[in-house]
Amino acid sequence: MQKKEDSMPIVLWLLSGVFLILAMVVIGGITRLTGSGLSIVEWNLISGTLPPLSEAEWLLTFEKYKQFPEYQKLNQGMTLSGFKGIFWWEYLHRLLGRFIGMVFILPLLYFLIRGRLSGWLLKRLLLILLLGMAQGAMGWIMVKSGLSDMPHVSHYRLAAHLVLAFSLIGVILWTVADLLTPAQQRSTSPAPLYKLSWWVLAAILLQIVLGAFVAGLKSGFSYNTYPLMEGEIFPTHLLGHLTWQNVWENGVAVQFLHRWFALLVLGLLCWFWYKSTRTPIAASGQRTIQLLLLTGIAQVALGIATLVLAVPLVLGVLHQLVAALLFGLAVLAVHQSKVGSRAVAYSSSQEYLQVKKM
C-alpha cells in the first residue's frame, strides 16, 4: 500500500486530467451550441493533428465539407471565412482530446517504469485508459451519425459521448479518493448512507442523460416558459400521439421530463443531506454532501434561466459544466458515504491517542 505522501504526484497528475476533461466538456458544449461539430468530416488521428496551413489546404477542407448534408441543407452559400469560424471550435475540441491522451499516457509510462503503480492502481489506470479510448471513438461515432441525410448527430450517441466523459471524471475522482483515504477507513462495510448515495448518483446521471437528449434534439428552444409550457403543464396537442417507443424521439416530451425530473433530483438531494445530518459520517463527507446540495440548487436555478432565455451560449455551457461538477461531487459522496462511520471512529481513535500521549 502506498503512503499518502508517495501518492501525491499521482494524485496531482490524475486531478490535472479531471480539469482537462472539464475543459473538454466546456469546449464540446461550445462546439455543439455554435453548430461546429460537423465541420470536420474525417477522423485522422495523426494527420488531423495539424489544421490546414495554406489557402489551398483550406479550400480542399472546405470542399470536403460541402459534400455533406450540413452544408447542402443548412449552410448553403457559406463562405470560406464562415467555415473557418465553425472549423476552429471542432478542431480545438479534437486537439484537446489528443492532448489529454498524451497527458495521461506519458506519465503513466513514467510511473510504471519507476515502479510506482501497485496492482489495483495499475488496473484502475488501465480502465481509465480504456474509457478514454472509448470516449474518443464514441466522439467520431457521434459525428458520423450527422454525416448522413439528416445533418444532426444522434441524441443517443451524444448522450453516450457525454456519459463516457463523466464516467472518466468519476473513475478518476474515485481513484484519487482511494489514494487519499487511509486503509483503515477503506476496508469497511457500507455505512447507512451508502445505498442512498448510489440512488442520488443514479438520479443525477439519469438527469444528465435527459439533458443530453434535450441538447441533441435541440428541444431547449421549443418551450421557453417556466414552470408551465406556454400555459400548460404539458402541451395537449401531443397527448394521444406519444408512445413508449417515440417519446424519446420527441423533443417536447424530453424537455418536459428533463424540467420536472430536476425537481425530483433536488428533492432527493435534500433528503440525502437531511439523512447525513443524523448519521455518523466524517466531517469531510458532511461537507461534500452540503456542497452537493448547494450545487444542485444552483444547477436547477441555472437550468431554469437557460430555458427561459432560450439557451444563450454562456448559460448553456455553464449549465453543462455545473452538471459535471454535480456528478463529480456525487461520486465523492458515494465514496465518503462508504467510509462513513468507520472514518468517524478512526478519527476519534487518532484524537484519543494524541490526547493520551500528552
Side-chain angles (χ1 to χ4, degrees), residues 5-24:
E5 56 271 20
D6 295 336
S7 300
M8 286 310 298
I10 298 174
V11 167
L12 294 175
W13 162 54
L14 291 175
L15 288 178
S16 71
V18 171
F19 287 115
L20 286 173
I21 296 170
L22 287 175
M24 190 79 165

Side-chain angles (χ1 to χ4, degrees), residues 24 43-49 91 93-103:
M24 190 79 165
W43 192 37
N44 298 317
L45 186 60
I46 304 301
S47 60
T49 303
Y91 172 76
H93 189 54
R94 296 191 186 194
L95 184 64
L96 182 57
R98 291 179 173 90
F99 180 69
I100 291 173
M102 297 299 292
V103 167

Side-chain angles (χ1 to χ4, degrees), residues 20-37:
L20 286 173
I21 296 170
L22 287 175
M24 190 79 165
V25 169
V26 169
I27 295 175
I30 296 173
T31 300
R32 176 178 52 80
L33 289 170
T34 56
S36 307

Side-chain angles (χ1 to χ4, degrees), residues 228-249:
L228 301 180
M229 304 174 82
E230 299 297 345
E232 299 179 293
I233 295 178
F234 185 81
T236 53
H237 71 274
L238 286 176
L239 296 176
H241 299 284
L242 294 176
T243 65
W244 179 255
Q245 287 75 21
N246 68 19
V247 67
W248 307 110
E249 310 286 339

Side-chain angles (χ1 to χ4, degrees), residues 44-295:
N44 298 317
L45 186 60
I46 304 301
S47 60
T49 303
L50 293 177
L53 299 176
S54 66
E55 190 70 10
E57 289 182 356
W58 272 114
L59 289 172
L60 177 60
T61 304
F62 190 27
E63 284 301 318
K64 291 179 180 179
Y65 174 69
K66 288 181 179 180
Q67 304 308 309
F68 289 87
E70 182 175 75
Y71 174 81
Q72 297 165 0
K73 296 183 177 181
L74 299 179
N75 293 332
Q76 186 76 39
M78 173 182 277
T79 64
L80 178 60
S81 176
F83 172 69
K84 289 180 180 180
I86 63 173
F87 174 91
W88 283 117
W89 281 117
E90 175 64 6
Y91 172 76
L92 183 59
H93 189 54
R94 296 191 186 194
L95 184 64
L96 182 57
R98 291 179 173 90
F99 180 69
I100 291 173
M102 297 299 292
V103 167
F104 184 80
I105 292 173
L106 293 180
L108 174 65
L109 293 175
Y110 170 79
F111 288 125
L112 187 60
I113 292 171
R114 295 293 299 271
R116 301 287 298 275
L117 306 179
S118 60
W120 75 268
L121 181 55
L122 179 58
K123 291 177 181 178
R124 190 78 60 79
L125 294 175
L126 290 177
L127 172 61
I128 293 171
L129 179 61
L130 288 175
L131 283 173
M133 294 169 63
Q135 164 73 350
M138 181 52 70
W140 171 244
I141 292 171
M142 178 190 69
V143 169
K144 196 172 181 181
S145 70
L147 302 176
S148 58
D149 291 337
M150 292 297 294
H152 303 288
V153 300
S154 163
H155 60 291
Y156 297 114
R157 297 185 187 187
L158 174 63
H161 188 51
L162 187 63
V163 167
L164 278 171
F166 282 20
S167 297
L168 266 171
I169 292 173
V171 175
I172 293 173
L173 288 177
W174 191 281
T175 303
V176 168
D178 276 346
L179 287 169
L180 295 179
T181 304
Q184 297 92 328
Q185 296 180 32
R186 280 199 282 123
S187 57
T188 180
S189 58
L193 283 176
Y194 186 57
K195 184 180 293 186
L196 179 57
S197 68
W198 274 110
W199 280 106
V200 169
L201 179 61
I204 289 173
L205 184 59
L206 178 55
Q207 177 68 350
I208 288 168
V209 170
L210 289 172
F213 284 3
V214 168
L217 293 168
K218 295 180 171 57
S219 59
F221 301 97
S222 55
Y223 283 85
N224 299 108
T225 58
Y226 190 89
L228 301 180
M229 304 174 82
E230 299 297 345
E232 299 179 293
I233 295 178
F234 185 81
T236 53
H237 71 274
L238 286 176
L239 296 176
H241 299 284
L242 294 176
T243 65
W244 179 255
Q245 287 75 21
N246 68 19
V247 67
W248 307 110
E249 310 286 339
N250 187 286
V252 175
V254 169
Q255 190 201 105
F256 172 82
L257 292 172
H258 186 56
R259 61 164 64 194
W260 292 112
F261 191 70
L263 297 184
L264 292 178
V265 174
L266 184 57
L268 186 58
L269 288 175
C270 291
W271 177 248
F272 186 41
W273 170 79
Y274 173 78
K275 293 291 289 184
S276 72
T277 62
R278 283 156 175 76
T279 304
I281 187 171
S284 58
Q286 186 66 57
R287 286 193 297 268
T288 298
I289 295 172
Q290 290 172 351
L291 186 56
L292 178 65
L293 175 59
L294 292 174
T295 305

